[in-house]
Amino acid sequence: VACVLGVVGCGGGGGGGGGGGPPPPPVGNITLSGRITFDRPSRNANQTHNFSATQRLPARGVSVEVLRSQGLTVLATATTDTNGNYTATFASTAFVLRARARLLRTSPGSYDFEVRDNTSSSAVYVLDSSVITPTSNTMTVDLNAGTGWTGAGFGGARSAAAFAILDVAWLV
């Protein structure tokens, strides 16, 4: 009897499982949408910045790029609307979403305006996501440019400033 129980208890070993890894990426095109925003500190009575009271504002008219994660080649481009919303479609692959500190308007009245970093070979300021692997053919990815304020001082990336400058240019 002990031998039969041993064989029955061990028969087939394991089975089930098979789903330990992430699902395969979707096939076909990905439609990506989302919102690009930046944080703007309010003002104190003496007109200094109050970083403990920030507003999250839309990054309007900003250039958006979807970049292939390998090599960072451009897969798709878009421009945010007045609410900071964008939509782009591209072939399914791992990607990075990039918001560039650039306004490009063709009408009414055209201009091409960029905010550049004079401490980094005049590179255009950008806000990048981490690498994203598509899990669906329709995805939403939002990006927010923060002030870098930690509560006691500046410690994080101060990407909001470039988008605040663009916001002033948008209003002109």
Side-chain angles (χ1 to χ4, degrees), residues 20 39 42 45 55 57 71 76 83 87 89 93 96 99 105 111 113-114 118 122 128 139 141:
D39 291 341
S42 63
Q55 297 177 33
L57 299 174
N83 294 312
T87 300
T89 302
T93 187
V96 172
R105 185 180 288 182
Y111 56 81
F113 185 81
E114 297 176 320
N118 67 337
S122 294
D128 286 347
M139 295 184 66
V141 177

Side-chain angles (χ1 to χ4, degrees), residues 12-133:
V27 176
N29 286 337
I30 305 298
T31 299
L32 181 68
S33 61
R35 189 167 189 235
I36 310 297
T37 56
F38 68 98
D39 291 341
R40 175 174 278 166
S42 63
R43 297 271 186 178
N44 292 315
N46 64 357
Q47 295 304 308
T48 59
H49 288 110
N50 179 358
F51 287 97
S52 63
T54 60
Q55 297 177 33
R56 186 153 290 177
L57 299 174
R60 302 176 288 186
V62 169
S63 297
V64 177
E65 297 174 336
V66 180
L67 307 171
R68 183 182 314 278
S69 65
Q70 296 292 320
L72 299 179
T73 56
V74 177
L75 297 169
T77 61
T79 302
T80 60
D81 65 15
T82 58
N83 294 312
N85 298 314
Y86 72 91
T87 300
T89 302
F90 59 97
S92 181
T93 187
F95 66 92
V96 172
L97 179 64
R98 172 174 287 171
R100 296 173 54 89
R102 179 182 187 207
L103 290 176
L104 178 62
R105 185 180 288 182
T106 55
S107 65
S110 61
Y111 56 81
D112 187 351
F113 185 81
E114 297 176 320
V115 181
R116 295 184 169 265
D117 183 353
N118 67 337
T119 67
S120 183
S121 302
S122 294
V124 174
Y125 280 99
V126 298
L127 178 64
D128 286 347
S129 72
S130 58
V131 173
I132 299 168
T133 301

Side-chain angles (χ1 to χ4, degrees), residues 156-171:
R158 297 173 70 177
S159 53
F163 293 94
I165 292 168
L166 290 181
D167 196 55
V168 172
W170 174 268
L171 296 172

